[in-house]
Structure formats: C-alpha cells, structure tokens
Amino acid sequence: MNIAPPAPLAPWQLAHAPYAAPEVFGQEAIARIASALPLAERVYASIRFSILRPKLLSVMDLLLPDSGRILDVGCGPGFMTSVMARGLGDAYGCDSSPEALRFAAEYPEIHAVDSATLLAKQEERGTFDLMCFFDVIEHVADDRGLIETFMGFLKPDGCIAIAVPAFMLFWGQNDVAAMHYRRYRGPQVDRLMRSMGFEPVRTTYFNTWLSPIFLAIRTWERVTRKPAMRSDG
C-alpha cells in the first residue's frame, strides 16, 4: 500500500483544523469527567481500563511481531504509550494538550511531542511501523480527517491500531463529559479504514461481559434523567 504524505499544514490551519480536539486529559478535565460519573460508572471505567491494557497488547503482538517504531496519536498522559515502549519498540506519543504532554514526558521511555511540532517534521514521515489511536477519534468531528492527517508518518507496509467506545445504545453522561462525538460498531470502523486503503486484520469487542450491567445503567439514566446530548455551542 502506497501512502502519499499529506501536505504540511500552516500554523493557522493547525489552530482551526477539524481534529483540534478540546483539552481532554489535563487534571481539570479529568476532575470534570470524574465528577460527572455516578459511582457505578466510575467502577465500570476502572474495570474497563484494566481489561483494555492486555487486550490492546495482544493486538499489538499481532500487528507488530517484532519491535519497531510506534506512534501513539493522542497519547494523553502517556500510560499506554509507556506500556508499549517497554515491550514493543521505540514509542513516540503526540498530543495537542500541553498538560497531557507534561505527564507523558515523565516516562523516560517515551518520546513525547506536541502534535503540531510532529506534523512539521518532514524527516519523521514514512518512518513508523505502527500508529495507534486509543480512545481518540471519537473526540473529533472528522475522524477520517484526523487519521489521514497522520497517515503519512506510516511506512508503506505500516499498520494502524484503533480503540473506540462501542454502540450508540450505550451513549450516556460519561460520553458528554468526555466530549465524545459518537460511539462505533465494528463494521463502521472497518468501512472507515477500508475507505482509506487499509484492510482490517482483526476487529473485536472487549468488556462485552459487562454489557448487561452497562445497558441497565443507561436505561436507568434515560428513565430518571434528561437525555445525554453533546452541545457544541
């Protein structure tokens, strides 16, 4: 697969690009998200991330059997980036949040860099074996535009790994607090990747055993509260 590197964006374009998500990972944002979640959802979130880590690492082993260069787009505070760096290769994490990058920079094994700075580095294009978007593309209006903006950093035979929240049926207050635009289904992600020239290797769901509990929470919310809706005003 041959990927033509996208043209560099000017600084004013970076500031107004469709993928320029609001600050999500800083202390203030995390406090806002936590305060918006009921106790049951906080417990669910804790369980979800404990399961997410080994699931993602198993996918990484499939896509990157040997060590290589990894780019974690929207790395946030760098937790998953550091996990990959310790066992899978040379890991770079980029984010648009200065607060998040300050946390990520505390991991010595991570090369933490501002997204705009990375996009301007022509020498880094076509050098990464694996590019990751973990809980990222649901935060932007133009998910395809975000992926295409960074696609030029992949090697011609490179792979992309994506993790997203699943099923609009489960949409709730936590999605609003986290500034999500959508939740996904597996075929939806497959179509998105095929439209950009990629062939899905593996598409799977995790935490499915928690779905009945999660659905009960969402049903209770809909009965007892106003519908959870994102406001861009």
Side-chain angles (χ1 to χ4, degrees):
M1 176 182 59
N2 295 320
I3 302 173
L9 297 180
W12 68 267
Q13 290 176 304
L14 289 171
H16 299 89
Y19 60 82
E23 190 276 320
V24 174
F25 295 106
Q27 290 178 324
E28 183 178 335
I30 292 172
R32 182 184 66 247
I33 294 171
S35 65
L37 297 180
L39 177 60
E41 295 230 3
R42 294 183 200 179
V43 172
Y44 171 81
S46 176
I47 295 173
R48 178 179 183 273
F49 284 111
S50 68
I51 296 174
L52 174 64
R53 179 179 178 275
K55 285 285 186 181
L56 290 181
L57 287 178
S58 69
V59 173
M60 299 299 98
D61 286 337
L62 175 67
L63 298 179
L64 195 67
D66 299 314
S67 62
R69 298 190 86 216
I70 303 167
L71 175 59
D72 189 7
V73 179
C75 66
F79 171 70
M80 278 305 302
T81 322
S82 70
V83 172
M84 291 186 290
R86 291 167 190 168
L88 296 172
D90 192 19
Y92 285 68
C94 70
D95 205 284
S96 59
S97 166
E99 181 85 17
L101 290 175
R102 280 195 290 272
F103 284 109
E106 294 181 5
Y107 292 100
E109 62 271 23
I110 296 176
H111 305 281
V113 61
D114 177 75
S115 296
T117 301
L118 178 65
L119 288 169
K121 288 188 174 184
Q122 294 297 315
E123 68 275 14
E124 293 290 356
R125 293 181 179 272
T127 65
F128 288 93
D129 300 281
L130 176 65
M131 188 161 60
C132 307
F133 296 85
F134 295 151
D135 290 331
V136 171
I137 65 173
E138 70 272 14
H139 288 284
V140 297
D142 184 8
D143 48 6
R144 174 172 175 158
L146 170 59
I147 297 171
E148 287 182 331
T149 297
F150 287 90
M151 236 164 57
F153 290 94
L154 272 181
K155 291 180 178 179
D157 59 348
C159 298
I160 291 180
I162 295 176
V164 291
F167 302 118
M168 286 301 295
L169 178 65
F170 294 153
W171 182 271
Q173 296 295 334
N174 66 319
D175 294 287
V176 177
M179 299 183 179
H180 290 173
Y181 277 84
R182 69 195 74 78
R183 284 172 164 264
Y184 294 80
R185 293 176 296 106
Q188 183 181 358
V189 177
D190 287 349
R191 286 194 299 270
L192 174 64
M193 299 312 298
R194 286 193 175 101
S195 73
M196 292 182 286
F198 290 88
E199 185 59 34
V201 175
R202 181 184 179 190
T203 304
T204 185
Y205 296 97
F206 56 89
N207 288 2
T208 51
W209 63 278
L210 288 172
S211 295
I213 299 173
F214 204 28
L215 182 59
I217 293 172
R218 289 292 175 260
T219 302
W220 177 254
E221 283 182 352
R222 294 185 180 106
V223 170
T224 59
R225 304 178 186 176
K226 294 180 179 180
M229 300 181 65
R230 178 188 170 99
S231 174
D232 296 309

